Amino acid sequence: MMMTIDDAVAKRRSVRGYLPDEVPQDILREVLGLAQQAPSNCNIQPWITHVLSGPSLRGLGRKMVAAAQAEIPPDPDFAADRKFEGVYRARQIDAAMQLYGAMGIKRHDRPRRDWAYRRNLDFFGGPHAALIFLHHTFEEREAVDLGIYAQTLMLLLTSRGISSCAQGALGLYPGIVRDHLGLPDTHRLIFGISFGYEDAAVDANRARVGRAGLDETVIFHRDGYSTRPTTECDQGLRRSE
Ligand SMILES: Cc1cc2nc3c(=O)[nH]c(=O)nc-3n(C[C@H](O)[C@H](O)[C@H](O)COP(=O)(O)O)c2cc1C
């Protein structure tokens, strides 16, 4: 029986270790076909999705891991080095602690942290990845469409028992990816999603992260009254003081 949308939203989590089994081609086509229903501004559907499997996927993974091992500086199409502050930094640290804690990696164990990071570049061993590009003339508004599309895709996967992980890290070496796929510079790589069937024996998959409470991020308004003074909307940064 299919999951409800509530179940899929609750069950989806980032999985960072997969079994080698591939998702059957008809299910891949069904899920990607349904994801086309994602809404987008003016219905322009700006996502350009390349789905890699088998030797094509493993070959790209090897090239990106080799680049990281050779300490070739990442050159993402979109800035990816922003430092978080305040509550955002606290949430980032908590997520890292959950992940590295599950993997038994200590905070200052640089070699193992580097190794954990490089697993991103080989798609966490997963059998498939969707690499999602945006035409170079597009900006934030179209990037929003890509985010909505990506979550639609991940929920459709979840509802079929297929795990996934959205990865900004897959956008760190766009030149290598374009070269591998024979794509022009007009295709800007935003991020990728590794997916497949979860390997429950992988330590990283024991990591669980929480969420802020509803009242921390959502403010309800009615008749001039709100659940919190609107000036507190910037609480995330003010809390750092
Ligand atoms: C756009 C985007 C980029 C992400 N990039 C990475 C990444 O590069 N590597 C990674 O391990 N997780 C990445 N994540 C997963 C987040 O860390 C994860 O969604 C967050 O910690 C919440 O955990 P959950 O997905 O298990 O609920 C990314 C998620 C999103 C939405």
Side-chain angles (χ1 to χ4, degrees):
M1 203 179 68
M2 278 284 181
M3 272 183 207
T4 65
I5 186 75
D6 292 25
D7 286 341
V9 169
K11 280 198 163 52
R12 188 219 54 80
R13 63 185 167 76
S14 295
V15 162
R16 300 179 178 90
Y18 295 88
L19 299 169
D21 311 59
E22 292 201 4
V23 175
Q25 192 67 20
D26 57 330
I27 297 182
L28 278 184
R29 294 193 67 84
E30 179 186 54
V31 162
L32 286 147
L34 278 168
Q36 284 296 122
Q37 290 301 322
S40 58
N41 185 46
C42 298
N43 199 29
I44 62 164
Q45 305 157 64
W47 45 85
I48 305 168
T49 306
H50 286 253
V51 181
L52 281 70
S53 312
S56 178
L57 181 75
R58 295 276 84 86
L60 177 59
R62 273 195 298 276
K63 290 179 195 172
M64 292 197 292
V65 169
Q69 276 169 335
E71 297 186 17
I72 293 174
D75 187 19
D77 291 332
F78 294 86
D81 56 354
R82 178 183 299 115
K83 300 276 178 270
F84 297 116
E85 292 178 31
V87 72
Y88 305 116
R89 175 79 179 138
R91 290 174 189 161
Q92 179 191 30
I93 290 173
D94 180 64
M97 279 173 57
Q98 298 306 325
L99 179 59
Y100 293 129
M103 298 175 83
I105 300 177
K106 299 267 181 305
R107 189 161 181 196
H108 299 292
D109 186 348
R110 184 45 62 192
R112 288 206 71 212
R113 283 179 83 112
D114 287 350
W115 167 79
Y117 155 75
R118 284 199 301 271
R119 294 182 68 244
N120 269 284
L121 304 176
D122 191 29
F123 315 99
F124 299 117
H128 307 284
L131 298 173
I132 305 178
F133 296 82
L134 195 58
H135 192 260
H136 73 114
T137 50
F138 290 146
E139 296 172 350
E140 284 93 335
R141 197 168 52 174
E142 291 79 19
V144 170
D145 297 337
L146 257 59
I148 293 172
Y149 168 76
Q151 173 70 337
T152 303
L153 182 57
M154 291 193 289
L155 293 179
L156 288 163
L157 291 167
T158 304
S159 76
R160 287 159 178 77
I162 303 162
S163 299
S164 60
C165 186
Q167 292 169 257
L170 293 178
L172 291 178
Y173 294 106
I176 293 177
V177 176
R178 277 190 287 267
D179 191 50
H180 186 75
L181 299 175
L183 298 174
D185 284 353
T186 48
H187 283 50
R188 298 280 163 85
L189 179 56
I190 307 273
F191 66 120
I193 302 173
S194 294
F195 62 94
Y197 299 102
E198 176 174 1
D199 182 349
V202 172
D203 290 344
N205 289 340
R206 286 202 297 274
R208 295 288 183 278
V209 293
R211 293 294 192 271
L214 177 67
D215 294 326
E216 271 190 72
T217 58
V218 180
I219 299 126
F220 295 92
H221 297 261
R222 180 184 291 277
D223 300 336
Y225 293 94
S226 64
T227 48
R228 203 175 60 219
T230 47
T231 50
E232 291 203 1
C233 288
D234 66 348
Q235 56 139 6
L237 293 176
R238 295 206 303 133
R239 281 198 177 173
S240 67
E241 291 162 9

